[in-house]
Amino acid sequence: MIVILKNGTPQEEITRLSQEISETWGVKVEKSVGKHKVVLAMIGDTPSINPLQIKGYSPWIEEVLRVQQPFKRVSREFRYGEASEVVVPTPNGNVYFGENHPIVVVAGPCSVENEQMIVETAKRVKAAGAKFIRGGAYKPRTSPYAFQGHGESALGLLAAAREATGLGIITEVMDTADLAAVGRVADVIQVGARNMHNFSLLKKVGAQDKPVLLKRGMSATIDEWLMAAEYILAGGNPNVILCERGIRTFDGKYARNTLDLSVLPVLRSLTHLPIMIDPSHGTGRSEYVTPMAKAAIAAGTDALMIEVHPNPAKALSDGPQSLTPDKFDILAQEMAVIGKVVGRWSERALVGSI
Ligand code: PEP
Ligand code: MN
C-alpha cells in the first residue's frame, strides 16, 4: 500500500506520519522521493488495512492506494507512475539510465580474452559513443569444455580498460563467492539470463551497493523477471536495470532467440525501472543486430548492449553475434538517426578525443 503526500508536506510531518503508521500497523515504511511526489510505501501485512483509516492520519495525505501487483517495489504504482533513474559514476562522469535520459550504449566483447583486445575494443566503442565497456570474466557456458572466462585475472584487465578510456565497466557475476571481487571492479554488476532465478545470488546483489543489470531468463515470464528484480530491491538495492536478451520460442533455426521487443511498452506500464535491450544475444547473428537495435530505439529503450569483438571469427565466445569495431561505428551512426528522431540521443562529445 502506498501513501501519496501532498506537495510541500513538511519533513517533520513525513517523519511523524511514517512512525505512526509503522507503530500502529507493524509495517515497514519506506519513503520514495520522486520529481513530483513523495510517496510512503507500507511493506508488510497490508491486506487487512483499510486505506481510509490511513487517510485520516494527516491532512497532508493526498491519496492512499493499494499496489495490486505481486511485485511491489519495482511496480510503476509504487512510485505513483514516475520513472526511476539509475545513476552510475564513471571516470568520465555520471551516466544516467532511465526514461528521461538519453539512451546509454554498452558495448564490448562477450569475454575478456586478453589486455590488448579489451583495451583496444574499449577505445573503439568509446570513440563511437558507448559509455560502458562490457566483457565477461566469468562466463556461463552450456558446455563445461567451452572457454569459461579468465576469472579474476580478467577483472584486472577490465580495470585497465577503464583506466585507458574512463568508460564504466559492466561484467557478470555467476557465483556469490566471486561477488566481492566482481563488485570491486564493476561499475554495474550483471546477473545473466541463467542466474535470473538464482534467488540466493539475487539476495546477495541486493545487499550490496553496486547497480545491477538483471537479464531476463531465457524462459522467464515478465512477472517472474520482475519478481527477480523485486528480490534485489527488497534486499536494499534500488539500482536495477532490466535487460531483455531474447527468449526461447519454438523456432530457433534462424535466430538464436526471439528478441521480445514488446517488453518495452509492457514493462513501461508495469515498472519504473530502466530498460536495456541486448540484440546480440537476442538474435545470435551479427547481421540482425543493427535492425533490432534501431527497432529497440524506436520502441523506447533506455539502453542497448551490443557485443563487439576485434576479430569475431576468432572470438572465444559468441563470435557469430559480435560486430567488428568498424561495423559498430556504422551501427552507432544509424542508431543516432533514430535516436535523434525520438529525442533520446546525446551528441558524441568524445569522438576523436581518446
Ligand atoms: C553475456 O552477456 O555475455 C551473456 C552470457 O548473456 P546472457 O546471460 O543474456 O546469455
Ligand atoms: Mn555473450
Side-chain angles (χ1 to χ4, degrees), residues 22-161:
S22 159
E23 280 161 18
T24 314
W25 298 98
V27 293
K28 209 172 149 201
V29 177
E30 283 180 10
K31 184 174 77 168
S32 126
V33 183
K35 218 183 238 154
H36 305 295
K37 291 279 172 219
V38 173
V39 174
L40 298 178
M42 298 163 58
I43 315 276
D45 185 19
T46 55
S48 55
I49 306 173
N50 181 348
L52 287 177
Q53 284 172 287
I54 306 287
K55 182 100 172 50
Y57 283 7
S58 167
W60 289 99
I61 296 179
E62 187 170 299
E63 220 179 331
V64 182
L65 297 173
R66 278 193 198 288
V67 176
Q68 303 293 348
Q69 303 286 5
F71 38 88
K72 305 292 177 196
R73 289 171 165 92
V74 310
S75 75
R76 188 105 199 170
E77 299 161 86
F78 197 80
R79 287 178 58 89
Y80 202 49
E82 262 189 47
S84 56
E85 60 184 18
V86 173
V87 186
V88 187
T90 74
N92 291 338
N94 284 346
V95 181
Y96 296 83
F97 289 85
E99 194 183 314
N100 300 313
H101 296 287
I103 291 163
V104 178
V105 178
V106 176
C110 182
S111 307
V112 178
E113 298 176 6
N114 57 60
E115 179 160 356
Q116 196 206 346
M117 69 84 78
I118 195 70
V119 171
E120 284 311 310
T121 309
K123 287 181 177 169
R124 289 293 304 267
V125 301
K126 177 187 178 183
K131 297 281 184 271
F132 286 85
I133 175 86
R134 58 142 291 148
Y138 302 93
K139 294 305 305 176
R141 305 306 302 280
T142 304
S143 166
Y145 310 116
F147 176 60
Q148 304 286 305
H150 288 309
E152 201 160 350
S153 65
L155 295 175
L157 305 184
L158 283 165

Side-chain angles (χ1 to χ4, degrees), residues 51-341:
L52 287 177
Q53 284 172 287
I54 306 287
K55 182 100 172 50
Y57 283 7
S58 167
W60 289 99
I61 296 179
E62 187 170 299
E63 220 179 331
V64 182
L65 297 173
R66 278 193 198 288
V67 176
Q68 303 293 348
Q69 303 286 5
F71 38 88
K72 305 292 177 196
R73 289 171 165 92
V74 310
S75 75
R76 188 105 199 170
E77 299 161 86
F78 197 80
R79 287 178 58 89
Y80 202 49
E82 262 189 47
S84 56
E85 60 184 18
V86 173
V87 186
V88 187
T90 74
N92 291 338
N94 284 346
V95 181
Y96 296 83
F97 289 85
E99 194 183 314
N100 300 313
H101 296 287
I103 291 163
V104 178
V105 178
V106 176
C110 182
S111 307
V112 178
E113 298 176 6
N114 57 60
E115 179 160 356
Q116 196 206 346
M117 69 84 78
I118 195 70
V119 171
E120 284 311 310
T121 309
K123 287 181 177 169
R124 289 293 304 267
V125 301
K126 177 187 178 183
K131 297 281 184 271
F132 286 85
I133 175 86
R134 58 142 291 148
Y138 302 93
K139 294 305 305 176
R141 305 306 302 280
T142 304
S143 166
Y145 310 116
F147 176 60
Q148 304 286 305
H150 288 309
E152 201 160 350
S153 65
L155 295 175
L157 305 184
L158 283 165
R162 177 174 44 207
E163 185 77 28
T165 59
L167 293 179
I169 304 286
I170 298 190
T171 194
E172 178 167 353
V173 67
M174 285 173 54
D175 192 319
T176 53
D178 303 318
L179 181 56
V182 171
R184 275 193 291 276
V185 168
D187 299 295
V188 175
I189 297 176
Q190 177 172 321
V191 173
R194 291 154 191 83
N195 268 317
M196 190 212 85
H197 293 285
N198 182 341
F199 301 116
S200 46
L201 182 59
L202 296 174
K203 284 181 193 168
K204 291 258 164 58
V205 295
Q208 57 83 57
D209 289 340
K210 288 282 166 86
V212 178
L213 178 67
L214 179 64
K215 288 192 142 192
R216 181 182 186 180
M218 57 185 83
S219 302
T221 64
I222 287 174
D223 278 355
E224 286 168 341
W225 186 16
L226 290 173
M227 288 307 273
E230 186 80 9
Y231 264 91
I232 303 172
L233 271 75
N237 186 347
N239 295 310
V240 173
I241 303 157
L242 298 165
C243 180
E244 161 66 32
R245 45 77 71 203
I247 49 173
R248 286 230 167 120
T249 54
F250 55 88
D251 192 349
K253 188 171 170 192
Y254 300 104
R256 180 177 176 185
N257 291 299
T258 297
L259 182 64
D260 182 5
L261 287 183
S262 68
V263 298
L264 285 163
V266 173
L267 287 178
R268 204 57 97 199
S269 69
L270 293 176
T271 180
H272 54 82
L273 296 175
I275 311 163
M276 180 184 287
I277 298 289
D278 170 356
S280 303
H281 294 86
T283 64
R285 299 265 293 266
S286 61
E287 61 272 37
Y288 303 154
V289 168
T290 296
M292 297 317 283
K294 284 156 63 178
I297 294 173
T301 194
D302 302 323
L304 281 154
M305 171 173 275
I306 313 283
E307 283 193 336
V308 177
H309 191 285
N311 185 356
K314 292 263 169 64
L316 297 180
S317 58
D318 285 348
Q321 68 196 32
S322 300
L323 299 179
T324 60
D326 286 350
K327 286 198 176 132
F328 182 68
D329 283 344
I330 297 168
L331 168 64
Q333 285 164 20
E334 292 193 28
M335 289 195 298
V337 175
I338 315 275
K340 282 176 192 159
V341 169

